[in-house]
């Protein structure tokens, strides 16, 4: 029987809000292939996090794996795949998932298909699969055929909703890999807390500013609106390049990819790289003086005009409401 393994990353026992998104296409794939579906995570802290999912699987445990160590994670996952003879491995393609899967594929000398949005066909005459994936920073979709015996895929973040926990606890077996000392060279050894509370990745509302904001001081009105809406402030790459905001605030391909309920883009033209970072937002409101700006044409709602006047009016209206 075909065995499918889903790697679910955890950060010291905590799953990210999107960690289980890869399970949704994995369930569909298991049904279509009549395959078994199992989970894998790293560190004993992940055991409790996975128990509500209700699937069996493996907790990879080793002293080197006490915190994130991408090379060691990848090598350990490769050992599990080989020893247990899994033929399909899937993970969410976020920063850590993509990095770990790339290391695993390299160890096993197999191709990795990244940022998959659809598994279109698993019945190729030569055993190949047809998949659709995001390429070039989200500017195009590629239809590709995967011809390896072992199928390794990462799922593009925010493509599928995470399934609801089905209750019950599947058996999670401890797997202890052999980790060479050399693989401990890349691992987290210290953490510095930069901020508490909401972040770009978790906030329900993000208010972002770009070149049109004009200066670092002018971000004050964006911060006021974000505070009133229970959100956080983001920015475009131009704002970070100009020194108006730190890189940690940047939304985009080289910043943070977000999926808030509402994204308010103020004075941001919306190059492809920025669109990649915000396109998973449930609703996008663009405020810009240019009605032909790329983000304006893609947004769910747009207001054309001076962002400072518009935000001042919005803030006044919010404050006037009981």
């Amino acid at each position: 029987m075909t065995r499918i393994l889903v790697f679910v990353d955890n950060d010291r026992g905590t799953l990210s809000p999107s960690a289980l998104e890869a399970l949704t296409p994995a369930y569909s794939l298991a049904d279509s292939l009549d395959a078994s579906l199992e989970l894998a995570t790293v560190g004993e802290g992940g055991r409790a996090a996975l128990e509500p999912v209700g699937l069996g699987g493996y907790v990879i445990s080793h002293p080197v794996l006490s915190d994130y160590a991408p090379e060691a994670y990848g090598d350990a996952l490769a050992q599990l795949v080989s020893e247990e003879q899994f033929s399909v491995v899937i993970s969410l393609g976020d920063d850590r998932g993509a990095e770990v899967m790339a290391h695993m594929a390299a160890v096993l000398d197999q191709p990795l298909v990244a940022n998959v949005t659809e598994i279109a066909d698993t019945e190729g005459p030569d055993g190949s699969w047809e998949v659709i994936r995001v390429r070039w920073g989200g500017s195009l979709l590629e239809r590709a055929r995967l011809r390896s015996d072992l199928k390794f895929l990462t799922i593009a973040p925010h493509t599928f909703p995470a399934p609801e926990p089905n209750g019950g606890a599947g058996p999670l077996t401890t797997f202890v890999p052999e980790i060479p000392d050399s693989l401990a060279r890349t691992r987290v050894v210290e953490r510095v807390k930069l901020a508490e509370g909401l972040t770009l990745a978790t906030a329900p509302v993000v208010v972002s500013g770009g070149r049109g904001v004009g200066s670092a001081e002018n971000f004050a009105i964006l911060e006021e609106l974000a505070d009133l809406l229970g959100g956080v402030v983001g920015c475009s790459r131009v704002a970070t390049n100009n020194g108006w905001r730190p890189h940690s605030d940047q939304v985009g391909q080289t910043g943070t990819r977000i999926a808030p309920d509402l994204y308010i883009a103020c004075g941001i033209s919306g190059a492809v790289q920025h669109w990649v970072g915000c396109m998973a937002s449930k609703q996008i409101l663009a405020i810009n003086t240019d009605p032909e700006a790329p983000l304006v044409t893609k947004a769910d709602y747009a207001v054309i005009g001076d962002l400072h006047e518009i935000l001042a009016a919005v803030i006044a209206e919010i404050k006037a409401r009981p």
Side-chain angles (χ1 to χ4, degrees):
M1 172 183 280
T2 300
R3 298 181 70 191
I4 300 173
L5 183 69
V6 179
F7 171 64
V8 179
D9 185 38
N10 77 88
D11 186 8
R12 296 167 295 166
T14 301
L15 299 181
S16 72
S18 56
L20 298 178
E21 290 176 357
L23 271 178
T24 298
Y27 277 126
S28 298
L29 184 62
D31 288 341
S32 66
L33 297 177
D34 191 23
S36 65
L37 182 61
E38 298 169 75
L39 305 176
T41 195
V42 176
E44 287 298 321
R47 185 182 298 273
L50 288 189
E51 284 179 349
V53 178
L55 288 174
Y58 298 86
V59 175
I60 302 173
S61 181
H62 191 280
V64 171
L65 305 177
S66 59
D67 210 328
Y68 183 56
E71 286 185 279
Y73 272 42
D75 196 271
L77 194 60
Q79 292 179 43
L80 174 62
V81 170
S82 297
E83 291 188 22
E84 296 298 325
Q85 297 184 325
F86 286 99
S87 51
V88 181
V89 184
I90 300 174
S91 174
L92 182 67
D94 57 5
D95 291 343
R96 286 176 45 153
E99 186 174 35
V100 171
M101 289 286 287
H103 279 293
M104 178 207 64
V107 170
L108 296 175
D109 194 24
Q110 295 290 329
L112 169 66
V113 182
N115 289 320
V116 171
T117 60
E118 181 182 349
I119 302 171
D121 175 32
T122 59
E123 299 180 355
D126 55 355
S128 62
W129 290 7
E130 185 177 77
V131 299
I132 298 174
R133 63 174 182 153
V134 177
R135 293 293 308 277
W136 293 102
S139 60
L140 62 85
L141 294 176
E142 176 188 78
R143 189 178 294 272
R145 190 157 286 277
L146 177 60
R147 293 184 169 85
S148 58
D149 292 332
L150 298 179
K151 307 292 196 299
F152 299 152
L153 309 91
T154 65
I155 303 299
H158 311 308
T159 301
F160 300 93
E164 293 293 329
N166 61 15
L172 294 171
T173 303
T174 299
F175 177 80
V176 181
E178 296 181 6
I179 303 294
D181 292 340
S182 61
L183 297 188
R185 62 195 169 195
T186 52
R187 63 191 179 110
V188 175
V189 296
E190 181 182 5
R191 291 175 179 255
V192 178
K193 184 176 290 187
L194 298 178
E196 295 183 349
L198 291 176
T199 66
L200 280 179
T202 62
V205 177
V206 176
V207 182
S208 273
R211 188 187 305 275
V213 176
S215 69
E217 293 73 21
N218 286 345
F219 269 85
I221 195 168
L222 278 71
E223 292 171 350
E224 184 178 2
L225 178 59
D227 184 59
L228 288 171
L229 297 177
V232 299
V233 171
C235 68
S236 69
R237 184 171 181 175
V238 171
T240 62
N241 287 347
N242 288 342
W244 299 344
R245 305 294 294 187
H247 176 71
S248 58
D249 287 353
Q250 184 182 328
V251 174
Q253 183 179 3
T254 55
T256 300
R257 300 190 184 197
I258 62 174
D261 295 328
L262 175 62
Y263 182 57
I264 304 176
C266 306
I268 298 174
S269 61
V272 168
Q273 291 82 356
H274 189 82
W275 175 247
V276 169
C278 70
M279 64 183 182
S281 304
K282 295 178 179 62
Q283 298 287 331
I284 297 177
L285 167 62
I287 302 173
N288 206 298
T289 56
D290 180 6
E292 302 301 322
L295 194 54
V296 171
T297 62
K298 293 185 177 74
D300 299 283
Y301 305 95
V303 180
I304 307 304
D306 181 88
L307 69 90
H308 304 287
E309 296 177 1
I310 293 167
L311 293 185
V314 171
I315 289 171
E317 178 65 23
I318 293 173
K319 289 183 175 180
R321 296 188 177 186

